[in-house]
């Protein structure tokens, strides 16, 4: 097999050798690499990627140092919240922990490389099934070269009471993070999954991070998926997260980003099953010269499927964010319903925000599709009111901003993670 | 603690380049209750907002001091911490900020750094004050003024006043939208705070409230000025005769600001 692999990509060959990967996987990686190499860096509707460099060189096989402060806090949070987690730094798996009670229920929690070893058929069946390499240059890059990842499998009927965590940290030693999460929740099972992508330090342009999360959710199963990110200046960051929902399944996304990086992100639910439901609660705080192009998407196929998107962007400094909420009611998704609420709050005169609601309806029989969007600044009457009670301006503004953010931060399923995100936000608001 | 003094000298206030308050002087001392009465549109709220420092109201001339300190150079929050309080005619709503959190932050800001009230003590104090004002306990966890009825907002203003114990309290139309029971509670709260440590400026256009809060001085405002001052009998006179008699007596045809031009 090593014959063609090296022809296309020594990087794929390197991973194949390092993890003793089966031929099917090497072939998938190879095909994806060809796609990646052949796809242009595109001009998106709101974001021009044509001049962004793609420097994909070596893949580190080791990492040094200990967990950074944020990773440490999230790790401790994961330990406090039941102790089920995988921790990866610079693509290298550092720690995997699965409490015995979960293992006894048949729950599988492994780093993705080990999962391919131990559960090859299961992984093969689902890997790339929700986020295929074909959909974008960055999805192809991840499909070709992912390393460091998590595999979660929850058997039918098993309700996992404490959350499962994935912490990915990219330090200055990293060459671009390409983590992949594959989460399979069988019929009538339930799971709370929380993942964080932490990137520290300022890096040269050209480095590319591309994270992919695939969520397969069976009939009558419920999943809460919380995804946090901190991206730094320099690289181009991508994340692609998608869930596929069977009959009456539900997925609640909580997306939180506190960054000054250049990021293009997608979170999507494919509501395939009748009666399936999904919500996305997204909040972002952009600062510095942050550029974020974020899409929360709901794709309705199932009869009577329902979705709700709430996005809140807070922008300061020269941050510039586009929040797109996109709902597509496909033909056949009769009696589907959807709601979108977007709010952008700009602090200072140099921040920019756009809220773009998109609604595509190919079905005649739709229950309700509502959307509300607002882009604005802090209400000076509110600031005046708080100041008139002795509260200094800066604190008044912080209270008002937190008034918007708190309800979204509060839906994060892990309390120590809520506190950690709160400290990130406070740190950047001060 | 000495008794406070708020001194307003020849104050002129403009909104959007239009002069609304046109030379107003008034001195309020601790222990005194001054009522400012007048029909709608005569500049009463403009006076109150300018004293508090609302950015839309610009003071074009005159002086305001609190215990000798220049109020006009202070920011809004500094004025509040110096002891000025304004119960607003139209309080803002702030979603996501609980009433209790807001009140605690405000109280601690007023008390100053290092002198914050411990959380438990604060909640005990809050509960007592809410009980005094017949406010439902759920009020504390509701978002600040969000979805409050007109009467609830007014009671919330009074709750803030009794917590913050200001040196000078300005109440702007605190009686509007209140039924008679709520009016009595508000009056009780004011009377409870009545002491040499607090002076009041009570803005109203009805005499009703003044049956329960007996003022020491009554001033009538028209065309952005005080056109007549007296004691509580002036309020009774207005109640009996209406503003029109006074207008005829003073030769004013239209009492609203701008009408004289
Ligand atoms: N924020 C404002 N913007 C524009 N005009 C204002 C504002 N506040 C007051 N005014 C004007 O000032 C005049 C007096 O208003 P106000 O002070 O509210 O009177 P009162 O409280 O006695 O009813 C009115 O003509 C009103 O239109
Ligand atoms: Mg008024």
């Amino acid at each position: 097999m090593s014959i063609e692999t090296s022809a296309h990509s020594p990087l794929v060959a390197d991973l194949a050798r390092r993890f003793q990967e089966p031929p099917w996987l090497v072939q998938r990686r190879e095909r994806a690499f060809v796609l990646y190499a052949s796809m242009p860096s595109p001009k998106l509707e709101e974001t021009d990627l044509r001049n962004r460099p793609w420097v994909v060189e070596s893949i580190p096989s080791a990492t040094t140092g200990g967990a950074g402060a944020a990773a440490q806090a999230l790790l401790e949070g994961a330990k406090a919240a039941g102790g089920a987690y995988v921790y990866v730094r610079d693509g290298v798996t550092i720690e995997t922990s699965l409490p015995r009670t979960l293992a006894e229920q048949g729950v599988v929690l492994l780093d993705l490389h080990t999962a391919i070893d131990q559960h090859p058929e299961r992984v093969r069946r689902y890997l790339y099934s929700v986020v295929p390499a074909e959909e974008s240059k960055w999805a192809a890059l991840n499909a070709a070269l992912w390393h460091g990842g998590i595999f979660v499998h929850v058997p039918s009927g098993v309700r996992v009471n404490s959350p499962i965590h994935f912490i990915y940290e990219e330090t200055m030693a990293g060459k671009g993070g390409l983590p992949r999460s594959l989460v399979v929740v069988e019929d009538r099972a339930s799971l709370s999954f929380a993942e964080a992508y932490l990137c520290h330090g300022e890096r040269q342009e050209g480095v590319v991070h591309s994270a992919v999360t695939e969520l397969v959710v069976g009939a009558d199963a419920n999943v809460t998926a919380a995804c946090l990110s901190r991206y730094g200046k320099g690289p181009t960051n991508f994340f692609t997260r998608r869930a596929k929902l069977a009959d009456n399944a539900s997925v609640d996304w909580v997306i939180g980003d506190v960054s000054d990086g250049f990021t293009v992100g997608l979170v999507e639910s494919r509501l395939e099953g009748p009666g399936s439901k999904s919500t996305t609660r997204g909040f972002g705080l952009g600062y510095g010269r942050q550029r974020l192009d974020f899409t929360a998407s709901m794709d309705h196929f199932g009869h009577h499927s329902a979705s709700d998107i709430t996005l809140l962007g807070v922008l300061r400094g020269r941050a510039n964010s586009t929040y797109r909420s996109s709902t597509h009611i496909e033909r056949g998704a009769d009696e589907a319903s959807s709601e979108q609420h977007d709010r952008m709050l700009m602090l200072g005169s140099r921040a920019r925000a756009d809220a773009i609601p998109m609604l595509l309806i190919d079905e005649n029989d739709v229950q309700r599709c509502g959307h509300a969007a607002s882009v604005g600044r802090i209400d000076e009457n509110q600031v005046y009111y708080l100041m008139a009670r002795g509260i200094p301006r800066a604190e008044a503004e912080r209270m008002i901003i937190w008034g918007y953010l708190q309800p979204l931060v509060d839906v994060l399923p892990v309390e120590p993670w809520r506190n950690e995100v709160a400290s990130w936000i406070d740190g950047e608001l001060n | 603690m000495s008794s406070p003094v708020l001194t307003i000298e020849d104050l002129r206030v403009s909104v959007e380049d239009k002069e609304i308050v046109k030379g107003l002087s008034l001195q309020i001392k601790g222990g005194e209750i001054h009522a400012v009465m007048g029909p709608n549109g005569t500049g009463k709220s403009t006076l109150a907002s300018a004293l508090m420092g609302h950015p839309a109201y610009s003071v074009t001339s005159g002086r305001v001091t609190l215990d000798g300190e220049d109020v006009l150079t202070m920011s809004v929050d500094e004025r509040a911490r110096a002891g000025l309080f304004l119960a607003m005619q139209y309080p803002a709503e702030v979603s996501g900020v609980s009433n209790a959190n807001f009140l605690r932050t405000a109280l601690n800001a007023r008390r100053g750094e290092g002198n914050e009230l411990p959380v438990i003590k604060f909640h005990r104090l809050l509960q007592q004050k809410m009980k005094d004002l017949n406010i439902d306990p759920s009020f504390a966890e509701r978002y600040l003024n969000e979805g409050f009825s007109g009467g609830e907002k007014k009671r919330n203003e009074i709750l803030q006043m009794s917590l913050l114990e200001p040196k000078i309290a300005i109440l702007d139309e605190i009686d509007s939208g209140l039924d008679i029971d709520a009016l009595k509670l508000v009056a009780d709260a004011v009377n409870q705070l009545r002491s040499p440590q607090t002076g009041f400026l009570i803005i109203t256009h009805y005499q009703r409230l003044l049956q329960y809060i007996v003022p020491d001085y009554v001033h009538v405002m028209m065309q952005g000025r005080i056109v007549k001052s007296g004691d509580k009998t002036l309020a009774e006179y207005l109640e009996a005769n209406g503003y029109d008699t006074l207008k005829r007596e003073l030769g004013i045809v239209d009492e609203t600001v701008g009408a004289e031009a």
Side-chain angles (χ1 to χ4, degrees):
Chain A
M1 85 201 170
S2 59
I3 328 119
E4 304 119 329
T5 55
S6 49
H8 290 126
S9 165
L11 296 176
V12 170
D14 179 34
L15 286 172
R17 202 175 316 111
R18 198 185 301 169
F19 296 104
Q20 300 285 305
E21 290 181 337
W24 67 266
L25 180 57
V26 182
Q27 277 163 24
R28 299 297 293 261
R29 284 190 185 277
E30 268 304 340
R31 252 185 285 156
F33 193 86
V34 172
L35 270 173
Y36 156 71
S38 66
M39 289 167 104
S41 194
K43 182 179 190 310
L44 305 176
E45 221 170 293
E46 315 287 329
T47 307
D48 194 349
L49 296 171
R50 286 173 304 184
N51 294 321
R52 303 290 299 182
W54 295 69
V55 178
V56 179
E57 285 167 345
S58 63
I59 292 171
S61 58
T63 175
T64 52
Q72 194 62 47
L74 295 183
L75 263 172
E76 273 159 26
K79 286 173 188 165
Y85 61 91
V86 170
Y87 168 43
V88 175
R89 188 163 65 240
D90 299 326
V92 180
T93 306
I94 308 289
E95 223 185 321
T96 302
S97 157
L98 177 66
R100 200 162 34 150
T101 48
L102 291 184
E104 282 167 0
Q105 288 176 287
V107 174
V108 176
L109 166 63
L110 292 168
D111 77 83
L112 192 48
H113 302 284
T114 307
I116 285 165
D117 247 15
Q118 295 186 4
H119 303 275
E121 287 316 308
R122 237 183 265 173
V123 176
R124 183 177 184 176
R125 180 163 164 212
Y126 295 112
L127 190 70
Y128 305 122
S129 73
V130 187
V131 179
E134 290 75 17
E135 73 176 61
S136 62
K137 187 175 177 71
W138 46 98
L141 175 63
N142 180 290
L145 300 177
W146 65 263
H147 54 286
I150 183 172
F151 176 65
V152 179
H153 182 257
V154 183
S156 300
V158 172
R159 313 191 75 81
V160 181
N161 291 322
S162 50
I164 287 179
H165 310 78
F166 177 48
I167 298 160
Y168 186 95
E169 186 181 24
E170 181 82 359
T171 72
M172 293 303 283
K175 301 281 192 223
L178 300 170
R180 195 166 186 108
S181 303
L182 176 59
V183 178
V184 180
V185 180
E186 303 275 11
D187 297 353
R188 298 179 316 284
S190 77
L191 172 72
S192 208
F193 176 69
E195 65 180 7
Y197 189 102
L198 308 167
C199 181
H200 31 98
E202 216 174 289
R203 224 166 292 243
Q204 283 178 336
E205 284 203 7
V207 171
V208 177
H209 300 311
S210 175
V212 168
T213 303
E214 299 184 279
L215 228 59
V216 182
V217 186
D220 296 298
N222 307 310
V223 175
T224 298
C227 312
L228 303 178
S229 50
R230 291 219 79 170
Y231 290 109
K233 268 187 266 189
T236 311
N237 313 296
F238 298 96
F239 61 83
T240 311
R241 303 190 155 109
R242 185 177 291 116
K244 216 180 198 177
L245 289 78
D247 304 8
N248 295 313
S250 77
V251 170
D252 296 309
W253 294 100
V254 190
I255 310 295
D257 178 61
V258 181
S259 289
D260 66 348
F262 186 107
T263 305
V264 175
L266 169 72
V267 171
E268 184 168 81
S269 289
R270 274 177 70 93
L271 297 144
E272 296 186 344
S276 55
K277 288 193 289 288
S278 185
T279 65
T280 297
R281 305 265 169 281
F283 60 91
L285 171 61
Y287 53 96
R289 286 169 161 263
Q290 176 254 28
R291 167 70 195 147
L292 173 65
D293 182 316
F294 175 63
T295 304
S297 161
M298 296 288 179
D299 207 352
H300 291 251
F301 297 88
H303 155 80
H304 215 282
S305 50
S307 69
D308 194 321
I309 298 172
T310 303
L311 303 179
L312 169 65
V314 179
L315 289 310
R316 59 169 299 176
R318 303 176 71 168
N320 172 358
S321 287
T322 302
Y323 282 71
R324 202 176 292 101
S325 47
S326 160
T327 305
H328 192 172
I329 315 276
E330 312 270 354
R331 184 171 292 274
D334 57 310
E335 290 182 35
S337 63
S338 78
E339 290 289 339
Q340 301 176 349
H341 317 262
D342 305 327
R343 182 190 288 273
M344 301 292 121
L345 204 55
M346 293 173 291
L347 315 176
S349 57
R350 292 186 304 175
R352 267 200 51 195
D354 293 298
I356 305 179
M358 286 167 50
L359 190 53
L360 257 92
I361 306 183
D362 297 331
E363 168 60 51
N364 294 323
D365 177 15
V366 165
Q367 255 193 2
R368 101 201 121 86
C369 286
H371 73 83
S374 77
V375 177
R377 300 184 184 281
I378 285 197
D379 182 346
E380 276 302 318
N381 274 318
Q382 294 181 334
V383 177
Y384 166 68
Y385 186 66
L386 300 190
M387 287 178 77
R389 299 301 178 247
I391 301 169
R393 172 173 283 273
E395 193 173 352
E397 290 186 349
R398 202 159 54 236
M399 286 174 78
I400 293 164
I401 296 163
W402 265 114
Y404 291 115
L405 283 167
Q406 192 78 59
L408 294 172
V409 173
D410 280 349
V411 290
L412 279 169
V414 192
E415 202 208 333
W417 284 37
R418 287 200 287 275
N419 300 338
E420 179 61 15
V421 173
S423 77
W424 298 348
I425 294 171
D426 274 335
E428 299 309 336
L429 285 181
N430 280 341
Chain B
M1 212 161 81
S2 64
S3 198
V5 189
L6 180 76
T7 308
I8 306 166
E9 291 169 83
D10 198 24
L11 188 71
R12 289 173 181 271
V13 184
S14 293
V15 184
E16 291 167 355
D17 293 329
K18 188 175 159 214
E19 188 165 78
I20 305 292
V21 172
K22 306 179 170 187
L24 184 144
S25 300
L26 189 63
Q27 188 167 62
I28 301 164
K29 296 193 182 118
E32 295 176 353
I33 295 189
H34 292 250
V36 168
M37 302 184 69
N40 274 330
T42 54
K44 303 184 300 298
S45 290
T46 300
L47 168 66
S49 301
L51 291 175
M52 200 67 236
H54 190 294
Y57 299 81
S58 47
V59 172
T60 51
S61 74
R63 267 166 57 84
V64 179
T65 57
L66 176 59
D67 298 338
E69 301 269 349
D70 184 0
V71 168
L72 297 176
T73 56
M74 297 181 194
S75 60
V76 177
D77 55 317
E78 283 168 346
R79 295 179 198 203
R81 292 197 299 275
L84 216 54
F85 179 88
L86 169 59
M88 298 188 196
Q89 191 172 0
Y90 304 108
E93 303 185 1
V94 187
S95 185
V97 175
S98 79
N99 226 2
N101 177 27
F102 161 67
L103 292 169
R104 196 160 72 87
T105 310
L107 182 59
N108 285 334
R110 171 98 167 90
R111 292 170 62 100
E113 222 170 287
N115 193 28
E116 288 90 352
L117 200 64
V119 180
I120 305 276
K121 276 198 174 160
F122 167 76
H123 280 285
R124 217 174 287 146
L125 178 68
L126 178 60
Q127 267 156 25
Q128 186 55 51
K129 299 278 186 195
M130 288 192 349
K131 216 170 128 197
D132 293 346
L133 283 163
N134 205 6
I135 289 171
D136 192 84
S138 68
F139 209 77
E141 288 318 312
R142 284 168 69 186
Y143 290 154
L144 179 51
N145 289 331
E146 193 182 58
F148 284 27
S149 69
E152 284 176 324
K153 283 182 184 166
K154 296 301 165 124
R155 268 186 281 180
N156 201 20
E157 295 294 287
I158 292 300
L159 174 63
Q160 293 168 41
M161 178 191 76
S162 25
L163 274 170
L164 296 175
E165 300 183 343
K167 288 182 179 170
I168 301 292
I170 306 164
L171 312 184
D172 190 1
E173 306 254 357
I174 198 70
D175 46 346
S176 70
L178 290 186
D179 60 29
I180 202 77
D181 290 334
L183 195 72
K184 284 182 188 164
L185 287 168
V186 166
D188 283 348
V190 170
N191 290 324
Q192 215 170 62
L193 208 59
R194 194 170 191 171
S195 79
Q197 264 69 57
T198 306
F200 288 89
L201 177 63
I202 293 177
I203 295 171
T204 176
H205 66 240
Y206 300 110
Q207 194 258 348
R208 193 173 72 137
L209 178 67
L210 304 179
Q211 289 172 356
Y212 302 100
I213 307 172
V214 181
D216 301 298
Y217 304 94
V218 174
H219 313 277
V220 180
M221 210 169 153
M222 289 186 184
Q223 297 175 338
R225 292 185 190 90
I226 290 174
V227 293
K228 194 172 174 73
S229 295
D231 60 14
K232 66 175 184 197
T233 57
L234 176 55
E236 287 155 11
Y237 170 85
L238 288 171
E239 180 72 6
N241 302 290
Y243 286 110
D244 285 343
T245 315
L246 181 65
K247 276 162 59 185
R248 263 197 304 279
E249 186 188 303
L250 297 169
I252 294 170
V253 180
D254 188 336
E255 72 284 6
T256 58
V257 178
E260 73 279 16

